[in-house]
Amino acid sequence: MATAPTNLNIDRNVGNFLYPEQHTRDAGRGLTSKTIDYIVNVKEEPEWIRDFRMKALKIFQEKPMPTHWATNDLENIVFDNIRYYLSRGDTKRTWDEVPDDVKETFERLGIPEQERKFLAGVEAQFDSEAAYSNVKEALSDQGVIFVGSTEGLVKYPELFKKWFGKVIPTGDNKFSALNSAVFSGGSFIYVPPGVKVKHPLQAYFRINAENFGQFERTLIIADEGSEVTYMEGCTAPKFESSTLHSAVVELVAMPRAKIQYITVQNWSSNVFNLVTKRGLAHEEAEIKWIDCNIGSRLTMKYPGVIMKGRKARGEVISIALAGDDQHQDTGAKMVHAADETTSNIVSKSISIGTGRSTYRGLVHVPKHLKNCKNNTECDALLINQGSRTDTYPAITVRGTGNACQHEASVSQVSAEQIFYMMQRGLTEAQAMSLSVNGFVNDLVRQFPMEYSVELKRLIELEMEGSVG
Amino acid sequence: MLDPKSASAGEKIVTIPFDQPRIDGFPDWFVERKNLAWDKALALPFPARTDQGWRFSSLRATKLDGAVLTQPEFDTDEVLSKSQACKTTSGKMVFVNDTCIHQSGAAEGLQLLTLEEALESHGDLLKEHFMNRQPELGSQKYLAMHEALVQTAAVCLVPKNLELNGPIEIFRWQAGEKVASFPHTLIIAEPNSKVTVVEHFCSLANEQGGHVFGVNDVVAMEGSKICYIGVQDWSFRTTAFHINSSELHRDSSVTHLVMNLGGSAIRGESISRLMGPGSRSDMLALNVAEAEQEYDQRTLQDHVSPDTNSDLLYKNVLADKARTIFSGLIMVQPGAHRTDAYQKARNLLLSDEAEANSMPGLEILADDVRCSHGATSGELDATELFYMLSRGISEAEARRLIAFGFLNEALLRLPNHETELVEMLTARLEAHLARRPASLD
């Protein structure tokens, strides 16, 4: 190859700043039943939640690390060192009430500005609890609920209890059990039948304390015929020691409802990002995960859709960028559980320097279903000699009348392309950046405008320092 | 020897139901290796469903309940009269279980030897190549058992520059109820030689079931060309392991094709290790899975050297309650630049109870490579079927034709000059599909 760029480093610095800790509530280090009692008492949660958490703690302690298939890097998480709950009081409804340093944090990340410009509602989580949460009046008048998970379970127990922990059972995996034991923050969203939320709702997750574990829990219910788009962004400053982020996100799309869930993950490069995300799509409902992973040390995330009703549809669009010492282990799960269900997975990854990106997929079409279709495409781009990429899909099809296809390819930036562009006066870095942008362009366009512009900028910044 | 893993999982405790028999007539170094292998076979755990190498498998082939190590009786003349397939051959060997009953090699310089003979005349070569490659696709325990218990083998040594025209045929007959056998084939092609080997796996009596633990290893030296074809047609009660490892040196090429027709549960493992630049490996399989058959195939295309090429095509037709598992990995080792690797697994499901599992995988640790894989699962094309029906072809016949055409793609990948061989295999496949008039509905 003509180009041998070195020292690629993405601009992960947008989020790399921090304010001194001023927590009034702190559960200390390590995880025991006392930690759970502390969280339940401080948050004034009902007793059924205490039981739920205690059961989850037991499952978490019993379950082994999934290292028989996953990376051994998981062994480096020291659960006893982690601080499981840190907060400083209640969620505010206006930015004026939010403490200055927290407000400044989100100002620097551009959240209030974006809220004014194009968002229908915002929740900003600082460590364990939301510092700010607001939804436009017009929406709340229509009955749309957008609150934190604690407020959701206290104020709307009938709605909340019906689906909480049903899409992702506590024992689904070790980290969903951990989240169930110590969850705090995250969003609860309910969209009433027929309501179409035009502008996206946004949540922003910020870790500000060292050795902190963030365990937000999100539950989104879109009732019959409704539509909603949810976006989440994540950042953390770069600490000396590693930080854990382990969320559980459950989506429920009732008949004919549509949910779009967009993530732009830009954690600093020492965050373990181990997230369980799954949606349940009823008849003719549609769930679409749009997922972009740029940051973190290790991300393990396989958004899934269970297509439970006839003609339900699931989709995962995923972009992963693995830089030096990063491992993006991402993928998708599609479980077809009714006739005429269709799913689509498109995954593109870029490995730079010593980065490693992995696609892990599962497609399941059980017995006696008719006309189920799955399409999977995975493309990987390798930039340097030390870059690595893996693909591990598993596809099970039973019976006739269904069609599944999987395709994957691995390639490099073509030397001819770079030569062509340089010959026309572009620098090598510009040419690389253009080429890489071209590789992900069709996916980037699926993100909302503001995000796609941002993504392009991130990739350009990355390539700037790339050719040495 | 108890297996701690399966015992703790609450499963039935399984053991190897026989002892290692006394070893006679082998050189000391070989006896020592066999003894070490036996200790290893006992010590290694039985596979569990949670092992990645056994994902989706029913583990049926791993069960040894009631297996015995006895030599059943048979009629040599009758077996020999059945051992005919190709018209012109360069050599032939016939085995019943672990006994060689016939060997003939016509071509000059070609060595077609039993294990005992090869150890005597080519000890050093065997020291280097007999089961010396790291097994890694999941059947380590069974490979160790094979090494400890193997009695004889077909060792095929093709001297430098010799190009054989007709294929070498090897017949493997399985006899006796619950009898375990250990067929072993080792092909070593010296520089710039060319050889084709066809191995037939059949049971003497269809109502008898056995346990087969087979190994077929291939070593292609610089510039040599090897074509290996395995036709597996064990009785419907036989479980079998067929484990292959191919080693390719500079500018060599190996075509490895398996056709699976019989057996109850078959575990196939195939590794192609591309060690020298310019080498090329073609891995092909065509499988007709019906009734309650399970074909579990795991492959590895291991690109060690730069400038290597591999291409895999595995095709399954599934009827009745059959299950197939394909798990394939393309591994591009650090430094194996300019690798070209392809992998395609396709399933044609003909019944509502059939199940096809595909796990095509890639691990790329070098750059400037071109790798892609694809896996598809689908049913008969309704328009193709309609077209044939509208031209007066019966539905059963049309379905058979489509299934045949689907599988035939793998046979067409065989080297051009093997016309007679392709005809023989085509006829075999057609006869198998025609065997049950209504089988493919």
Side-chain angles (χ1 to χ4, degrees):
Chain A
M1 223 175 85
T3 51
T6 49
N7 305 325
L8 284 175
N9 228 328
I10 192 156
D11 182 31
R12 292 192 180 80
N13 292 324
V14 217
N16 193 13
F17 59 89
L18 98 137
Y19 288 91
E21 286 180 35
Q22 298 184 26
H23 298 106
T24 52
R25 295 163 180 177
D26 182 348
R29 285 174 198 273
L31 177 58
T32 62
S33 57
K34 280 191 190 122
T35 323
I36 286 173
D37 282 327
Y38 181 87
I39 296 173
V40 172
N41 295 341
V42 150
K43 290 167 77 80
E44 295 171 15
E45 290 174 334
E47 277 308 300
W48 69 269
I49 285 289
R50 190 190 304 270
D51 297 342
F52 177 85
R53 288 179 186 276
M54 288 295 182
K55 265 186 212 147
L57 175 66
K58 204 163 163 265
I59 295 172
F60 166 70
Q61 285 164 342
E62 283 166 4
K63 268 201 185 288
M65 278 286 189
T67 39
H68 64 285
W69 60 267
T71 163
N72 286 327
D73 196 19
L74 287 175
E75 305 287 353
N76 295 321
I77 304 172
V78 185
F79 289 103
D80 289 340
N81 261 346
I82 292 170
R83 300 152 87 184
Y84 289 85
Y85 183 83
L86 287 175
S87 85
R88 55 166 108 163
D90 303 327
T91 309
K92 306 293 187 254
R93 293 288 175 216
T94 67
W95 284 109
D96 290 340
E97 298 167 65
V98 175
D100 282 346
D101 57 332
V102 177
K103 192 164 74 186
E104 274 169 41
T105 300
F106 289 112
E107 288 280 2
R108 284 181 72 166
L109 296 166
I111 308 304
E113 189 195 337
Q114 285 172 359
E115 181 185 7
R116 282 190 296 275
K117 275 205 294 200
F118 71 99
L119 297 173
V122 164
E123 185 188 330
Q125 180 164 342
F126 197 79
D127 293 338
S128 290
E129 296 290 358
Y132 169 85
S133 167
N134 189 30
V135 61
K136 296 242 159 95
E137 236 171 69
L139 279 184
S140 43
D141 290 349
Q142 286 179 296
V144 175
I145 301 168
F146 179 26
V147 294
S149 62
T150 312
E151 195 177 335
L153 72 92
V154 172
K155 272 199 190 161
Y156 313 97
E158 331 70 55
L159 279 174
F160 191 89
K161 260 179 136 167
K162 190 171 173 199
W163 294 110
F164 174 68
K166 298 294 193 300
V167 185
I168 302 172
T170 302
D172 187 78
N173 63 70
K174 190 171 177 78
F175 293 94
S176 67
L178 174 64
N179 175 285
S180 301
V182 295
F183 73 90
S184 179
S187 315
F188 170 67
I189 295 173
Y190 173 77
V191 186
V195 175
K196 296 191 162 97
V197 184
K198 266 192 219 139
H199 299 287
L201 301 171
Q202 196 193 37
Y204 203 91
F205 298 96
R206 172 73 180 172
I207 295 177
N208 194 61
E210 188 155 7
N211 279 324
F212 172 68
Q214 192 170 54
F215 306 98
E216 88 267 12
R217 179 103 191 185
T218 294
L219 171 61
I220 301 177
I221 303 165
D223 217 326
E224 284 190 39
S226 67
E227 286 177 22
V228 63
T229 298
Y230 180 87
M231 306 197 301
E232 61 170 5
C234 341
T235 58
K238 191 158 169 59
F239 293 112
E240 289 298 311
S241 57
S242 57
T243 306
L244 174 63
H245 173 253
S246 184
V248 167
V249 177
E250 298 173 288
L251 309 184
V252 182
M254 300 308 283
R256 292 175 305 285
K258 278 188 186 169
I259 303 178
Q260 242 191 69
Y261 193 106
I262 302 163
T263 307
V264 176
Q265 179 265 104
N266 193 9
W267 293 117
S268 63
S269 58
N270 52 1
V271 172
F272 284 97
N273 183 41
L274 312 167
V275 176
T276 313
K277 291 183 165 174
R278 198 170 301 154
L280 184 66
H282 291 88
E283 209 169 292
E284 290 177 48
E286 185 182 312
I287 291 179
K288 184 169 182 175
W289 298 97
I290 301 180
D291 205 39
C292 177
N293 293 291
I294 293 174
S296 84
R297 162 178 173 169
L298 167 69
T299 286
M300 287 174 64
K301 176 165 45 164
Y302 322 101
V305 182
I306 299 163
M307 287 150 276
K308 195 178 171 233
R310 206 176 58 89
K311 283 194 173 172
R313 181 173 165 74
E315 192 161 353
V316 172
I317 304 289
S318 157
I319 299 176
L321 209 60
D324 277 333
D325 302 322
Q326 282 188 304
H327 185 181
Q328 305 285 9
D329 195 330
T330 62
K333 284 184 180 180
M334 292 295 177
V335 179
H336 292 258
D339 287 345
E340 296 174 70
T341 49
T342 52
S343 60
N344 187 33
I345 303 168
V346 183
S347 156
K348 295 208 177 191
S349 68
I350 303 162
S351 307
I352 304 158
T354 58
R356 173 179 176 192
S357 50
T358 302
Y359 171 84
R360 231 178 264 280
L362 183 145
V363 175
H364 192 78
V365 183
K367 255 185 212 177
H368 304 311
L369 295 184
K370 289 290 166 223
N371 293 324
C372 297
K373 287 194 170 63
N374 163 266
N375 175 56
T376 306
E377 293 167 42
C378 316
D379 292 320
L381 193 65
L382 293 169
I383 304 284
N384 299 91
Q385 289 222 350
S387 315
R388 168 169 185 182
T389 182
D390 318 301
T391 314
Y392 308 109
I395 306 147
T396 300
V397 182
R398 292 203 184 96
T400 55
N402 305 303
C404 284
Q405 54 181 30
H406 169 100
E407 241 183 289
S409 73
V410 177
S411 56
Q412 280 71 45
V413 173
S414 110
E416 278 127 80
Q417 267 184 22
I418 301 291
F419 176 75
Y420 180 88
M421 287 187 269
M422 286 175 72
Q423 192 207 26
R424 268 148 187 79
L426 271 67
T427 64
E428 194 175 1
Q430 285 170 327
M432 271 303 265
S433 162
L434 212 58
S435 190
V436 171
N437 262 310
F439 174 72
V440 289
N441 194 40
D442 53 332
L443 295 193
V444 167
R445 280 198 312 216
Q446 300 220 24
F447 284 76
M449 221 349 224
E450 290 71 14
Y451 273 64
S452 68
V453 171
E454 181 74 3
L455 275 177
K456 280 198 154 168
R457 201 181 61 85
L458 278 173
I459 292 167
E460 265 157 36
L461 275 168
E462 157 125 14
M463 292 303 152
E464 227 158 61
S466 72
V467 191
Chain B
M1 179 65 55
L2 301 185
D3 163 33
K5 210 171 200 172
S6 66
S8 69
E11 283 172 23
K12 201 176 139 197
I13 295 167
V14 277
T15 55
I16 295 178
F18 36 74
D19 288 323
Q20 187 190 23
R22 226 168 58 85
I23 310 165
D24 288 320
F26 289 126
D28 290 348
W29 69 268
F30 197 73
V31 174
E32 196 180 315
R33 272 184 55 172
K34 279 171 90 69
N35 288 335
L36 280 172
W38 181 247
D39 292 342
K40 198 171 148 195
L42 291 175
L44 283 169
F46 276 90
R49 264 171 225 269
T50 47
D51 296 345
Q52 282 300 292
W54 291 88
R55 194 170 169 197
F56 295 118
S57 169
S58 71
L59 301 179
R60 221 158 74 202
T62 68
K63 304 281 184 269
L64 304 173
D65 310 345
V68 291
L69 287 181
T70 49
Q71 271 303 342
E73 287 175 14
F74 53 87
D75 179 343
T76 307
D77 292 337
E78 192 200 326
V79 174
L80 286 178
S81 69
K82 283 187 182 180
S83 306
Q84 314 282 346
C86 292
K87 283 187 209 110
T88 45
T89 59
S90 300
K92 191 197 258 188
M93 288 182 95
V94 181
F95 295 83
V96 177
N97 292 7
D98 298 322
T99 310
C100 179
I101 60 167
H102 172 87
Q103 65 192 114
S104 59
E108 73 286 10
L110 168 71
Q111 307 266 353
L112 212 47
L113 309 169
T114 62
L115 181 60
E116 310 85 293
E117 292 165 349
L119 282 168
E120 178 119 13
S121 58
H122 295 81
D124 289 343
L125 203 61
L126 261 68
K127 241 181 216 175
E128 191 184 341
H129 293 296
F130 188 84
M131 296 194 79
N132 263 356
R133 276 150 285 278
Q134 281 298 313
E136 50 195 282
L137 295 179
S139 294
Q140 289 85 334
K141 185 182 182 78
Y142 299 89
L143 274 169
M145 202 166 87
H146 174 99
E147 189 174 356
L149 302 174
V150 66
Q151 293 296 314
T152 186
V155 181
C156 169
L157 307 174
V158 190
K160 215 169 162 175
N161 300 329
L162 177 66
E163 297 198 3
L164 293 169
N165 285 321
I168 293 167
E169 276 196 297
I170 302 169
F171 286 87
R172 301 281 186 179
W173 295 97
Q174 174 77 11
E177 178 66 13
K178 294 253 176 201
V179 174
S181 70
F182 306 88
H184 191 110
T185 300
L186 176 62
I187 304 163
I188 300 174
E190 289 192 356
N192 303 318
S193 62
K194 192 175 103 184
V195 63
T196 297
V197 177
V198 187
E199 196 161 13
H200 302 270
F201 302 95
C202 295
S203 299
L204 274 180
N206 239 331
E207 63 280 2
Q208 282 178 337
H211 299 275
V212 178
F213 306 92
V215 168
N216 58 86
D217 285 349
V218 160
V219 182
M221 305 289 206
E222 288 76 5
S224 64
K225 290 187 169 61
I226 299 179
C227 175
Y228 173 89
I229 292 156
V231 181
Q232 183 277 112
D233 198 6
W234 299 121
S235 78
F236 265 66
R237 289 185 49 231
T238 298
T239 63
F241 284 75
H242 289 278
I243 297 176
N244 151 257
S245 140
S246 300
E247 190 178 292
L248 291 85
H249 295 274
R250 177 183 280 271
D251 297 326
S252 66
S253 75
V254 171
T255 302
H256 189 274
L257 178 140
V258 287
M259 178 149 103
N260 279 302
L261 306 172
S264 134
I266 305 293
R267 165 82 175 193
E269 292 181 12
S270 189
I271 300 179
S272 263
R273 199 150 276 155
L274 297 117
M275 322 269 294
S279 56
R280 180 189 166 90
S281 167
D282 285 276
M283 300 164 82
L284 308 165
L286 52 151
N287 308 310
V288 183
E290 55 192 330
E292 294 189 1
Q293 285 179 317
E294 177 178 290
Y295 292 154
D296 177 0
Q297 293 178 301
R298 318 266 162 167
T299 65
L300 173 63
Q301 293 153 266
D302 190 4
H303 291 260
V304 182
S305 155
D307 298 294
T308 50
N309 198 316
S310 70
D311 197 349
L312 177 147
L313 177 66
Y314 271 46
K315 302 199 101 176
N316 293 317
V317 166
L318 296 95
D320 308 328
K321 290 184 175 174
R323 295 181 80 232
T324 60
I325 300 143
F326 168 77
S327 169
L329 184 66
I330 295 176
M331 176 89 198
V332 180
Q333 304 277 5
H337 303 300
R338 296 173 302 282
T339 286
D340 257 352
Y342 300 94
Q343 184 195 74
K344 191 150 91 179
R346 295 191 60 192
N347 301 304
L348 179 63
L349 290 111
L350 299 176
S351 105
D352 259 352
E353 308 278 337
E355 175 185 316
N357 299 284
S358 319
M359 288 177 281
L362 297 174
E363 280 183 22
I364 316 290
L365 285 82
D367 77 343
D368 202 4
V369 300
R370 279 196 298 167
C371 293
S372 73
H373 68 199
T376 61
S377 301
E379 61 171 338
L380 284 179
D381 185 337
T383 34
E384 281 177 19
L385 199 60
F386 176 77
Y387 180 89
M388 287 199 243
L389 292 180
S390 71
R391 267 145 189 83
I393 297 168
S394 75
E395 186 172 342
E397 180 65 14
R399 294 172 79 92
R400 238 184 342 257
L401 280 171
I402 294 172
F404 172 77
F406 176 82
L407 293 168
N408 196 38
E409 194 193 338
L411 290 180
L412 294 177
R413 292 263 196 107
L414 286 173
N416 290 335
H417 60 270
E418 299 291 2
T419 41
E420 195 193 314
L421 195 59
V422 172
E423 269 170 36
M424 186 273 286
L425 294 167
T426 307
R428 187 74 188 269
L429 177 62
E430 274 175 331
H432 185 80
L433 291 173
R435 185 179 37 100
R436 249 171 60 181
S439 70
L440 298 173
D441 50 30

